[in-house]
Amino acid sequence: MTYRNFIAPFTIAASVAACSYPPDAAQAATSSATEACLQQHMGELDTLLTMELIVPFVNGAPEEVEVDYDKGSSNELSYSWPGDRTRTMSGSTMKIEIPIPNMISLGGIKAYTDSDYYDRDSNDPVKRFQRAHHNMTAEEREKARAAINENMKDEDEKTRKIANKILGAATARIMFEPVIDIGDAAAWNIRTKELDVLTGATEFSVQVDVSADNEKNKAVAKKLAQSVLDDCSGASNGE
C-alpha cells in the first residue's frame, strides 16, 4: 500500500476559495520593519514574550511557571503552569482524570518564500495566508473527495477509503475564525488554540490554553500578539 498520490488532491483542496481579510494601509506601511524585527528576534523570543506579560494570566504563584525555550528548528518559547482543569481518559476497566496544564507560547515565525505561493496567490502574502487559513465548505470537501478518488483510481478500495478518512479528519481539524484589527491578517484555530498573525510576508503564532472558554483564550492570544507587534514597531521607530 502506498500514499504517494495523497499530496496532490490535498493541495487542490487546500487551495480553494478563502474568506476575505480587509487590508489596513497603516499596518501595511510598517509591516516590513516589523517582520524584520521578528526575524532578528529568532532565538530571543523571551524579549518579546516576557514573563511580565505572562504573569497577569497566571492564577497561581508566578514561581510555578515553567519556561521551555526550544531554540532549534521549532524556535518556540513556551510558558506553562498547573491549572484546575482536567480531561477524562477511558481505559478498558477505568476512567482516569488527567490534569490540563495552562500554557502560552510564541513561535511559528515563517517568512514566505516563492515556493509558498500558488499562482492564484499572485505573490500576495494576504492571499497566501487566507488560503492556508480557510475552512473548507461542504462543496469544497466534495470536490476534494472527487479529486482524491480520481487521483487514486488505480489504487485498491481499501486505500481509497483510508484516503477519504484522512481527508475527513484533516478538514475537521482545520477550524479557523478570522480575527480583525491585528496585523495584516490573522486567524484563530479553535482546535489548537492558536492565533496566527501575518505582518508583511512573515507569519508568527501565539498559542494560548488558559481556559475552557474559547473566547477568553482568543482574547489573551490577541492581546499578547499585539504586544509583540507593538514591541517590534517601537523598535523599528527607535523607541
Side-chain angles (χ1 to χ4, degrees), residues 21-31 126 180-185 198-200:
Y21 294 81
D24 185 299
Q27 290 173 336
T30 60
S31 291
V126 174
I180 62 172
D181 299 330
I182 182 168
D184 296 323
L198 177 70
T199 178

Side-chain angles (χ1 to χ4, degrees), residues 15-64:
S15 66
V16 230
C19 50
S20 62
Y21 294 81
D24 185 299
Q27 290 173 336
T30 60
S31 291
S32 180
T34 303
E35 62 181 315
C37 168
L38 285 170
Q39 294 295 329
Q40 291 166 4
H41 280 81
M42 296 280 278
E44 300 177 352
L45 296 182
D46 49 344
T47 63
L48 290 176
L49 186 65
T50 64
M51 179 69 77
E52 287 74 20
L53 287 172
I54 300 301
V55 166
F57 308 107
V58 178
N59 293 329
E63 294 78 16
E64 294 183 302

Side-chain angles (χ1 to χ4, degrees), residues 169-190:
T171 55
R173 282 199 303 269
I174 303 173
M175 300 174 62
F176 294 108
E177 293 178 351
V179 178
I180 62 172
D181 299 330
I182 182 168
D184 296 323
W188 172 253
N189 189 315
I190 301 171

Side-chain angles (χ1 to χ4, degrees), residues 145-190:
R145 200 175 303 280
I148 284 179
N149 290 333
E150 173 62 25
N151 187 261
M152 303 192 71
K153 60 185 177 182
D154 295 329
E155 302 288 346
D156 58 67
E157 182 179 359
K158 183 177 181 180
T159 303
R160 289 197 300 272
K161 285 183 178 180
I162 291 174
N164 277 287
K165 284 184 179 179
I166 292 174
L167 171 66
T171 55
R173 282 199 303 269
I174 303 173
M175 300 174 62
F176 294 108
E177 293 178 351
V179 178
I180 62 172
D181 299 330
I182 182 168
D184 296 323
W188 172 253
N189 189 315
I190 301 171

